[in-house]
Amino acid sequence: MGKRIVCFGDSNTWGYDAVTNGRFPDDVRWTGILKKLLGENYTIIEEGLCGRTTVLEDPLNEGMNGLKYLNPCLMSHSEIDYLVIMLGTNDCKQRYALTAKNIADGLKRLIIKAKETPAWAKKPQILVVAPAPIEPECEQSPVAGEMGICSEKSRALAKEMKLCAKELGCDFFDAEQIGTMNQIDHMHLDKESHARLAEALASMIRERV
């Protein structure tokens, strides 16, 4: 059986395409490209949900709390070898009123829970991916009413998440290095960024697993 990699995220892992208001095809999503790049010795498991947060209950939408779903998710896919977490974008929504540090603290709770879950083939190995920042234009885009004021907070996430990853012994990647947003809602990765993200993560995963 190939090495099992769980990719736990939100709409940018689910593959939301703002141009069509639908989902990118398998061979366009970063998870699908990652599967192709890594080959048959790896099993890539998509666990993306639009709207998912690190640890927050959404008062408007059911089931968005990543912490509550994490244990059954990992156990259902066990035994796993590597966990990729890319969350935090939705935590930036104005209605949650959090700081970037608060969001990173939520991520810390996720990581600790993941490590304690008896779903690992060997020792826990986790990669924290700081999401590419939301652009300021999002706040005047079609999703402005949903997101509110969010871009400045989003840009501060990578610094806090890097500290969190270091503290807990996780790998870290800042998706701002490769990410460009679509020019409609300015908060979802464009097609080209999915490919670049997959290439970057494939290199890291080959070194670790």
Side-chain angles (χ1 to χ4, degrees):
M1 183 171 66
K3 301 294 186 180
R4 296 175 64 78
I5 317 295
V6 174
C7 302
F8 192 74
D10 52 30
S11 52
N12 274 316
T13 297
W14 185 81
Y16 179 76
D17 178 6
V19 175
T20 64
N21 196 32
R23 192 178 193 183
F24 283 124
D26 291 357
D27 61 354
V28 173
R29 298 197 297 275
W30 68 265
T31 46
I33 299 171
L34 183 64
K35 179 178 180 179
K36 182 177 180 181
L37 291 172
L38 291 176
E40 62 183 13
N41 291 328
Y42 293 84
T43 298
I44 305 301
I45 301 162
E46 284 185 328
E47 278 288 352
L49 175 66
C50 297
R52 177 176 284 148
T53 68
T54 55
V55 299
L56 303 169
E57 295 292 345
D58 189 327
L60 303 179
N61 301 292
E62 183 180 356
M64 299 302 162
N65 186 332
L67 187 67
K68 286 191 172 181
Y69 178 62
L70 185 63
N71 183 75
C73 170
L74 298 185
M75 292 302 294
S76 68
H77 296 303
S78 63
E79 295 177 331
I80 67 169
D81 297 278
Y82 202 64
L83 171 63
V84 181
I85 301 175
M86 186 167 71
L87 286 171
T89 297
N90 291 300
D91 301 58
C92 292
K93 291 176 180 177
Q94 187 174 359
R95 65 173 174 264
Y96 294 128
L98 300 180
T99 66
K101 174 64 164 55
N102 295 154
I103 296 169
D105 286 343
L107 174 67
K108 182 176 180 179
R109 290 187 67 197
L110 265 184
I111 293 169
I112 291 171
K113 187 166 186 78
K115 286 187 171 187
E116 293 172 347
T117 301
W120 297 92
K122 297 179 181 178
K123 68 176 184 178
Q125 294 191 87
I126 299 172
L127 169 61
V128 171
V129 180
I134 301 167
E135 296 175 344
E137 293 86 350
C138 175
E139 293 161 11
Q140 287 79 45
S141 79
V143 299
E146 170 67 13
M147 297 300 297
I149 304 302
C150 56
S151 61
E152 184 176 353
K153 187 185 306 182
S154 173
R155 189 161 296 280
L157 285 181
K159 177 182 177 181
E160 298 291 345
M161 288 185 169
K162 185 175 183 179
L163 292 172
C164 175
K166 182 178 180 180
E167 177 185 350
L168 297 178
C170 299
D171 299 323
F172 177 79
F173 182 76
D174 183 358
E176 185 175 9
Q177 300 176 54
I178 54 81
T180 53
M181 300 303 189
N182 74 81
Q183 297 303 295
I184 297 173
D185 66 19
H186 299 273
M187 63 170 289
H188 288 100
L189 296 172
D190 60 19
K191 176 181 178 180
E192 293 76 17
S193 295
H194 275 262
R196 292 193 294 268
L197 180 59
E199 289 167 3
L201 298 192
S203 296
M204 295 186 71
I205 290 170
R206 287 192 197 99
E207 292 177 0
R208 304 297 195 274
V209 187

